[in-house]
């Protein structure tokens, strides 16, 4: 793995040099982890003119949720309690003779940026912008394999839940049980707070579980994901509780299913982000559900649960092969409930069989 | 409650006016919640020259973990998907005729700050600094009552765990079970990720649960807290597994207990932060455990789990009455394990009976 991290850093360094910066400080945790193998709390990575260095507040533990630092990388523990790793990195960059330093202006606060300036007043600060996020877009085999395992864990947790009695249990308890099962099956932890919505709460994009209990006749929407070696999957399904779904439930389900399939089928290398969004959105639009739709049809996943690209009407850019994304349209009818169906897939060329579905739990409408 | 929020905003507005700013944008979530009653994801609060406004990406849900917005406050949902509430607030402040705007430079990123400047180029941006954090230091009765309930919930969750069989179970499972019990007893959720460390992992400040199983003879350290209406408590205890603690375990426990008691007894209105730290730290120092001690002996709690004040050697300032803090010294012996004891207390004057202990689980060394 060490060569992988070194290669990533070399690519970033080339970009920095081309941009006129002799050194860079990476502070955004997912970016630090991508380049260094680990991102202990409060750490920063210096790509120095002479030496790369991971600066931490305490020695990395190597726990799965934190990662294990690349062995070829020197680690330095900050001596001052509460010291700022990015500020210390700027100081070291100046000490290594750098005259310019690229920083992540979309991550550093104004106050930290000022502290960097004041420890190294002769250093010209530039904006690294989202250079590391750009590198992170296309995943390598190792990353996709982590995502595949993360998706499998979530499938297992969800599958077990479906075998249990659901009526009478609260959204909160179902969410907690799913999270326990994720860990049972080897997740570092949940990829994001598990969402369970039943009845009137079903079908909402980012519903936080409440004390509402599952009742006969409810739609039940579940959205969960596992983090595995830092990589985060996402799956969302909607079920109906009881023996026979109502007609409106079947209709709404079929509609969202058709929208989600259209989105999945639009995934291909070279497809525009907004075309994928449009493929799914237009199905819901045509049925009159224009208002209240979520602003995104899907998003990238990786070391963060919602990373680039955004599959949205205004998004600019085209998909590449090996970009993992979610496709997650939904419709929520206020006061009644709704349906959301969410998969994680990897964009693949037609020749390789098209998009690879990572989350394989059935999308038939199950009556539980 | 509405008057409480309005009064808090009035105090902040007075400070801003005195500092020469006609308006302010508050973006740090805990600060938004303190002033507005709720902090939906991505929201910001404008204290305008003519009107206060809570700007949100979507309508507040009123869920306990998000809070319910003050009814006297106007709420505006951003129309643009992915719009930045702080940027929109700056735009509105300029529209209301403000010529200067105080912003939280310790929270806004350099990139967001620049976006504020570009939507409202004639607005002079100033630094609100930690003005809201300062207001949040001393808690009112309502806040302390939430903390008291949060502490009680954690006591209950911990109490139930102690009645169950622990040997053979993993740190991860014990942590998940504690979190489930917190929710069972009415918490919005855990106040922070629950820490369970057994054997060699015991006594470490911020240990993340692993798959290590509890064994006979282990020290078992647990640190958890509940969030209740946004307020976060913290309790940490260390137990010994098996019938008879070893001599070194009893000695180490007594030492940490003595340090923790010294810290608790040093809590009084007017006491310097660093004196409280010294009271606890000197006990451990005198026993030769100088190296490897945590940089803090304790910290404030409230809407955030680690807020001001810091009880640390270099901290400047004095405690006031009605400031809730933790006292949590510990000693970890690498390769053997250790002890940490952690309470949440409210500083009270001697005349009122001295510090009020919120976390009442026994601190005797229990053999489980």
């Amino acid at each position: 793995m060490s060569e992988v991290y070194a290669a990533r850093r070399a690519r970033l360094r080339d970009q920095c040099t081309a941009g006129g910066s002799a050194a860079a400080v990476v502070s955004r945790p997912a970016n630090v982890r991508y380049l260094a193998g680990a991102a202990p709390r409060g750490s920063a990575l210096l790509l120095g003119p002479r030496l790369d260095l991971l600066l931490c507040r305490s020695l990395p533990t190597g726990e799965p949720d934190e990662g294990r630092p690349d062995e070829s990388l020197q680690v330095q523990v900050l001596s001052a309690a509460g010291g700022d790793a990015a500020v210390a990195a700027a100081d070291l960059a100046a000490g290594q003779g750098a005259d310019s330093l690229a920083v992540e202006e979309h991550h550093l606060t104004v106050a930290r940026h000022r502290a960097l300036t004041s420890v190294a007043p002769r250093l010209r600060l530039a904006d690294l912008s989202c250079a590391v996020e750009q590198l992170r877009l296309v995943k390598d085999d190792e990353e996709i394999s982590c995502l595949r395992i993360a998706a499998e864990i979530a499938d297992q947790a969800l599958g077990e839940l479906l075998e249990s009695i659901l009526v009478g249990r609260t959204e909160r308890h179902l969410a907690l049980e799913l999270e326990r099962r994720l860990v049972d099956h080897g997740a570092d932890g949940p990829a994001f707070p598990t969402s369970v919505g039943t009845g009137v709460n079903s079908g909402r994009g980012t519903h936080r579980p409440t004390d509402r209990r599952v009742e006969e006749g409810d739609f039940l929407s579940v959205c969960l994901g596992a983090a595995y070696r830092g990589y985060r999957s996402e799956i969302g399904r909607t079920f109906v509780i009881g023996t026979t779904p109502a007609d409106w439930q079947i209709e709404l389900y079929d509609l969202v299913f058709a929208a989600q399939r259209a989105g999945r089928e639009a995934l291909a290398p070279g497809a525009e982000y907004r075309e994928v969004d449009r493929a799914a959105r237009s199905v819901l639009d045509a049925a009159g559900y224009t208002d209240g739709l979520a602003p995104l049809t899907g998003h990238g996943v990786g070391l963060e649960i919602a990373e680039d690209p955004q599959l949205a009407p205004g998004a600019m850019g085209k998909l590449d092969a090996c970009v993992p994304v979610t496709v997650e349209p939904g419709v929520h009818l206020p006061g009644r409930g709704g349906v959301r169906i969410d998969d994680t897939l990897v964009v693949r060329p037609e020749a390789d069989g098209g998009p690879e579905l990572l989350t394989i739990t059935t999308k038939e409408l199950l009556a539980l």
Side-chain angles (χ1 to χ4, degrees), chain A:
Chain A
M1 273 306 282
S2 188
E3 314 79 60
V4 172
Y5 298 117
R8 291 173 182 171
R9 293 196 298 273
R11 282 181 70 187
L12 184 65
R13 185 190 307 277
D14 288 349
Q15 287 187 18
C16 283
T17 311
S21 292
V25 175
V26 177
S27 53
R28 192 173 174 185
N31 292 345
V32 173
R33 181 153 187 177
Y34 183 75
L35 298 167
R41 208 179 131 84
S43 59
L45 174 69
L46 169 65
L47 296 190
R50 292 208 303 268
L51 186 69
D52 293 350
L53 207 56
L54 177 63
L55 292 125
C56 308
R57 290 206 197 128
S58 53
L59 266 182
T61 61
E63 286 297 313
D65 58 342
E66 177 182 294
R68 208 173 281 279
D70 169 13
E71 284 166 13
S72 74
L73 190 62
Q74 209 169 309
V75 175
Q76 184 170 321
V77 175
L78 298 176
S79 50
D84 184 313
V87 173
D91 195 16
L92 288 167
Q96 284 188 35
D99 58 351
S100 60
L101 180 70
V103 301
E104 299 192 291
E105 293 190 352
H106 62 302
H107 180 257
L108 282 186
T109 64
V110 176
R112 289 180 80 188
H113 194 267
R114 188 180 304 123
L116 259 70
T117 309
S118 83
V119 294
R122 275 194 290 267
L123 215 49
R124 189 171 45 77
L125 296 185
D127 188 5
L128 185 58
S129 194
C130 293
V132 188
E133 283 85 349
Q134 284 302 312
L135 293 178
R136 284 167 46 200
L137 265 175
V138 173
K139 270 70 175 176
D140 65 26
D141 287 349
E142 184 70 30
E143 294 181 282
I144 291 174
S145 136
C146 290
L147 283 168
R148 208 177 278 126
I149 296 172
E152 198 179 313
I153 290 171
D155 276 323
Q156 287 172 320
L158 184 54
E160 288 174 0
L161 188 81
L162 299 185
E163 289 169 13
S164 64
I165 304 272
L166 299 171
V167 171
R169 296 170 72 193
T170 70
E171 293 172 356
R172 255 182 235 266
H173 274 102
L174 293 176
L176 284 164
E177 181 172 333
L178 282 166
E179 295 191 353
R180 185 178 61 75
R181 290 184 187 277
L182 290 173
V183 172
D184 278 349
H185 287 291
D188 312 338
F192 53 89
T194 298
S195 175
V196 175
T198 186
V200 293
N201 296 331
S202 58
R204 283 172 55 196
T206 51
H207 174 68
R208 273 179 299 252
T210 70
D211 288 326
R212 191 185 187 287
R213 290 176 193 278
V214 176
E215 293 173 15
E216 287 280 333
D218 277 357
F219 265 140
L220 174 69
S221 295
V222 170
C223 185
L224 72 156
Y228 180 76
R229 297 196 184 164
Y231 284 83
R232 290 156 198 272
S233 70
E234 181 174 321
I235 179 171
R237 292 290 185 267
T238 299
F239 310 100
V240 72
I241 303 297
T243 46
T244 327
D247 288 347
W248 74 274
Q249 290 178 317
I250 295 173
E251 272 166 40
L252 191 61
Y253 193 91
D254 287 348
L255 178 73
V256 174
F257 179 83
Q260 205 253 0
R261 186 177 52 199
R264 281 187 279 120
E265 289 175 354
L267 295 177
E272 290 193 59
Y273 300 154
R274 57 186 177 192
E275 285 304 321
V276 178
D277 175 76
R278 175 148 38 184
R281 190 177 299 270
S282 61
V283 174
L284 304 177
D285 261 343
Y289 295 112
T290 310
D291 293 341
L293 294 186
L296 298 179
T297 290
H299 53 75
V301 295
L303 288 169
E304 290 174 295
I305 188 57
E307 53 179 58
D308 289 334
Q310 295 203 330
L311 306 180
M316 301 290 283
K318 291 178 179 180
L319 288 174
D320 274 311
C322 302
V323 173
V325 294
T326 66
V327 177
E328 47 176 308
V331 170
H332 172 76
L333 308 178
R336 297 181 78 189
V339 176
R340 242 176 106 250
I341 305 175
D342 182 354
D343 279 314
T344 300
L345 308 97
V346 181
V347 177
R348 303 278 191 193
E350 191 65 39
D352 293 352
E356 176 187 351
L357 182 68
L358 301 190
T359 43
I360 60 168
T361 297
T362 182
K363 288 186 283 282
E364 279 178 88
L365 176 54
L366 297 184
L368 302 173

